[in-house]
Amino acid sequence: MKISFDLDDTMISTRFHLEKRPFFAKMVGTEKLRSGTIALFKTLKAQKHKIYIYTTSYRSVYKIKLMFLAHGIPVDFVINQQMHEKRIRNKGKSISKFPPEFSIDVHIDDSAGVETEGKKFGFKTIIVSVSDKDWVNTVLKKMDEF
Ligand SMILES: [Mg+2]
């Protein structure tokens, strides 16, 4: 499956514990990732899933790719706000995220609004709270239900 992850408050925030950055990540000055991200991505990759990042931030695709690469978990594809606007908003759709446009099977996010959009526009979401300390298992368990 193609699985996409939101960034802010799903994997990047000061509101949860963070991974220790590997040497290379520190050297290039990447942002820090939520504790458990490395293990989760490695598990999903071992299960042959493709990992996408789908964020409404304006961080560059290069910066986002480098951040995950520097943590030893390269991602397959990155959708940032610029790409979203080009592909979705310019078609006249007023929606914050639309994973089916990129053939994504399930999108993981902290936003209840995205869950509502998923129900309305017919795409699957897994919503993870910023306070969920067991978020890795929350994701893996829900993945098993699909
Ligand atoms: Mg978010």
Side-chain angles (χ1 to χ4, degrees):
M1 283 206 273
K2 282 181 188 164
I3 307 163
S4 61
F5 284 83
D6 168 50
L7 283 185
D8 291 298
D9 288 337
T10 299
M11 277 184 302
I12 298 174
S13 177
T14 53
R15 295 163 69 191
F16 38 60
H17 288 292
L18 300 165
E19 296 273 11
K20 274 215 172 85
R21 281 182 304 178
F23 177 73
F24 181 62
K26 255 189 224 164
M27 242 180 60
V28 294
T30 71
E31 292 177 87
K32 291 180 181 173
L33 294 170
R34 187 176 195 164
S35 177
T37 303
I38 295 173
L40 175 61
F41 279 21
K42 285 190 171 165
T43 303
L44 294 173
K45 281 164 176 282
Q47 295 171 355
K48 305 288 176 211
H49 296 299
K50 294 256 182 261
I51 297 177
Y52 284 27
I53 301 300
Y54 195 157
T55 174
T56 50
S57 83
Y58 288 94
R59 290 178 184 87
S60 74
V61 169
Y62 171 78
K63 191 182 165 192
I64 295 167
K65 281 194 167 169
L66 181 64
M67 171 168 53
F68 288 95
L69 185 66
H71 282 82
I73 42 170
V75 295
D76 295 287
F77 197 74
V78 172
I79 301 139
N80 62 4
Q81 183 63 15
Q82 292 93 317
M83 192 184 297
H84 170 85
E85 282 171 14
K86 222 165 144 190
R87 292 274 294 264
I88 315 281
R89 200 192 280 175
N90 293 353
K91 279 186 182 168
K93 280 195 187 105
S94 166
I95 183 168
S96 66
K97 286 176 183 169
F98 190 58
E101 176 73 20
F102 304 94
S103 311
I104 292 162
D105 298 292
V106 55
H107 174 70
I108 292 141
D109 209 291
D110 66 292
S111 159
V114 170
E115 184 177 36
T116 305
E117 287 179 334
K119 282 180 185 152
K120 193 170 165 192
F121 295 99
F123 59 86
K124 283 192 186 118
T125 59
I126 296 174
I127 303 304
V128 183
S129 140
V130 278
S131 59
D132 185 352
K133 289 195 172 65
D134 199 28
W135 76 287
V136 169
N137 280 320
T138 302
V139 171
L140 291 175
K141 251 189 241 158
K142 293 249 171 80
M143 287 292 302
D144 273 348
E145 292 167 17
F146 293 138

